[in-house]
Amino acid sequence: MAKPVSIEVWNPNGKYRVVSTKSMPGTRWINLLIEQDCRLEICTEKKTILSVEDIIALIGDKCDGVIGQLTEDWGETLFAALSKAGGKAFSNMAVGYNNVDVNAANKYGVAVGNTPGVLTETTAELAASLSLAAARRIVEADEFMRAGLYDGWLPHLFVGNLLKGQTVGVIGAGRIGSAYARMMVEGFKMNLIYFDLYQSTRLEKFVTAYGQFLKANGEQPVTWKRASSMSEVLQEADVISLHPVLDKTTYHLINKESLATMKKEAILINCSRGPVVDEVALVEHLKQNPMFRVGLDVFEDEPYMKPGLGEMKNAIVVPHIASASKWTREGMATLAALNVLGKIKGYPVWHDPNRVEPFLNENAPPPAASPSIVNAKALGLPVSKL
């Protein structure tokens, strides 16, 4: 028998039992559930990552839906347990769902939700922050000051890279990649080279218009170029930010061979998926090229780093915080809760998961729909006409 798990209960007499495997930011998501007659149980265990056994204990004998986290292993075992308890809804509080076996969910008729449409700007902002911090060696300089080593200005002290006039490279010009590109082009007057399977016409028009604005004001115009391959971006850009999907074509996209083609003083940023980068090869490259710098928000074997990475002064490492702005995390919690609630109440699926503003408006009731169900088609769920 599974060991009992400590919980916090809201609306104990609610008709529908919903479990959240973690406490989540904000209170709106809680209120939305209890207002719709849900008994909400929030796990309060002092563990960063719950085991499958922990989650089975949370699910119990009767459970209508679960809000979970991307650190959890949602496969055959958990979906079988949820289905046995009468549950038909699960949502990650994340846009990604690499931790979810969608085929297993389909087998047991469980809808799988995620939370796109709310992370674009905040993730792009972190990528831009890491770019600037790496270029100007801010983390190194901060550690230097705190260690009491500063005894006066020196000409060579923490000399970094000027971004203005350099080339920013983007691999994957979707919503996040394009938002990052616009920030770097307009904020630092960088030229753009990007690779994507699909032409980003809106991004190209943005850079063209900004270049014309600069030229009209007597400044050097910025330019854009759509690369024919990812390797072309790696070879030509001064700052490269990775925003691809993770599949067999992008696994270890950054490896020993591709690192060797990059500029010696290039900056590499990854806020996408950890396995896009071969960390062992990256550590070796950082050792051999002290002016090559990297900013990482995700890791190959998260939450662990490959040996040596944490000791590298030319690496900035942060703990998967790309979505960690208050507005975004509260929005993710709201969307995850509404995914589960929508399936419980028999609502249709929202027609466009990337246009979720109506669900985030705190001054009006959310639409009667699930914001984003990734296996809606497989389950034959109806789509909202709203």
Side-chain angles (χ1 to χ4, degrees):
M1 184 175 177
K3 178 183 175 182
V5 177
S6 60
I7 58 171
E8 174 187 7
V9 180
W10 293 74
N11 192 28
N13 297 319
K15 178 180 178 181
Y16 309 104
R17 181 170 178 263
V18 175
V19 168
S20 178
T21 63
K22 290 290 179 187
S23 173
M24 300 188 295
T27 58
R28 184 169 181 250
W29 69 277
I30 295 173
N31 292 329
L32 288 168
L33 288 170
I34 63 178
E35 286 167 5
Q36 293 294 322
D37 205 14
C38 292
R39 171 191 168 102
L40 173 63
E41 298 182 12
I42 304 173
C43 179
T44 56
E45 287 286 313
K46 302 298 182 184
K47 296 174 70 173
T48 301
I49 301 174
L50 295 183
S51 68
V52 168
E53 291 73 23
D54 291 331
I55 299 172
I56 288 174
L58 281 171
I59 290 171
D61 297 328
K62 181 189 180 300
C63 182
D64 295 285
V66 177
I67 303 167
Q69 304 297 322
L70 54 76
T71 53
E72 300 158 2
D73 182 13
W74 278 85
E76 175 88 18
T77 303
L78 287 182
F79 284 120
L82 181 56
S83 178
K84 185 178 179 181
K88 293 296 181 184
F90 165 78
S91 184
N92 254 4
M93 183 198 156
V95 64
Y97 49 96
N98 293 343
N99 63 310
V100 179
D101 183 343
V102 179
N103 289 329
N106 293 341
K107 175 181 174 181
Y108 291 100
V110 178
V112 174
N114 68 336
T115 63
V118 73
L119 297 92
T120 300
E121 299 297 329
T122 192
T123 303
E125 283 181 5
L126 185 76
S129 300
L130 290 173
S131 301
L132 188 60
R136 298 305 300 271
R137 305 176 65 181
I138 291 172
V139 174
E140 290 178 80
D142 177 86
E143 292 176 348
F144 183 83
M145 282 294 295
R146 293 177 191 277
L149 299 175
Y150 181 58
D151 56 7
W153 186 89
L154 288 170
H156 293 289
L157 190 62
F158 293 110
V159 172
N161 297 6
L162 179 70
L163 296 180
K164 180 183 178 182
Q166 300 296 298
T167 298
V168 60
V170 173
I171 294 178
R175 293 181 305 278
I176 296 171
S178 291
Y180 167 82
R182 292 194 303 268
M183 291 176 188
M184 302 305 288
V185 169
E186 186 175 19
F188 302 104
K189 299 175 184 175
M190 300 185 76
N191 299 310
L192 171 68
I193 180 172
Y194 80 92
F195 174 80
D196 197 285
L197 295 177
Y198 303 97
Q199 184 174 7
S200 184
T201 305
R202 289 182 64 186
L203 178 58
E204 293 172 1
K205 288 180 177 178
F206 175 89
V207 179
T208 298
Y210 186 54
Q212 292 170 344
F213 168 81
L214 292 175
K215 187 175 181 179
N217 285 274
E219 297 188 62
Q220 180 70 26
V222 292
T223 63
W224 64 265
K225 175 183 177 182
R226 183 185 178 196
S228 58
S229 65
M230 289 185 275
S231 59
E232 188 178 352
V233 176
L234 298 178
Q235 292 168 24
E236 295 188 17
D238 301 288
V239 180
I240 298 104
S241 191
L242 306 173
H243 301 278
V245 297
L246 176 61
D247 59 23
K248 62 183 180 181
T249 68
T250 58
Y251 176 80
H252 281 188
L253 166 67
I254 302 302
N255 52 37
K256 181 179 179 180
E257 291 74 27
S258 59
L259 285 165
T261 68
M262 297 170 67
K263 296 181 179 181
K264 294 295 185 183
E265 296 188 5
I267 294 168
L268 176 68
I269 306 298
N270 188 19
C271 292
S272 61
R273 296 288 183 268
V276 170
V277 177
D278 179 347
E279 276 180 37
V280 172
L282 178 62
V283 170
E284 191 60 33
H285 191 77
L286 290 167
K287 288 177 181 177
Q288 295 176 2
N289 299 274
M291 292 310 293
F292 184 95
R293 292 190 282 279
V294 65
L296 302 176
D297 180 54
V298 289
F299 305 91
E300 190 172 356
D301 296 320
E302 201 165 313
Y304 309 105
M305 294 186 291
K306 294 295 187 184
L309 181 59
E311 287 74 57
M312 302 308 302
K313 293 292 185 182
N314 46 344
I316 300 173
V317 289
V318 295
H320 205 145
I321 58 170
S323 66
S325 66
K326 183 176 183 292
W327 181 85
T328 295
R329 288 284 172 88
E330 290 184 1
M332 292 166 67
T334 294
L335 295 173
L338 290 174
N339 281 331
V340 171
L341 179 64
K343 185 63 173 68
I344 290 172
K345 302 288 282 188
Y347 295 158
V349 177
W350 190 241
H351 64 279
D352 186 348
N354 294 308
R355 300 185 66 178
V356 295
E357 293 83 359
F359 296 96
L360 305 177
N361 181 3
E362 297 188 17
N363 298 315
S370 292
S372 177
I373 302 296
V374 301
N375 59 342
K377 186 175 182 181
L379 297 181
L381 301 180
V383 176
S384 171
K385 303 298 182 184
L386 296 174

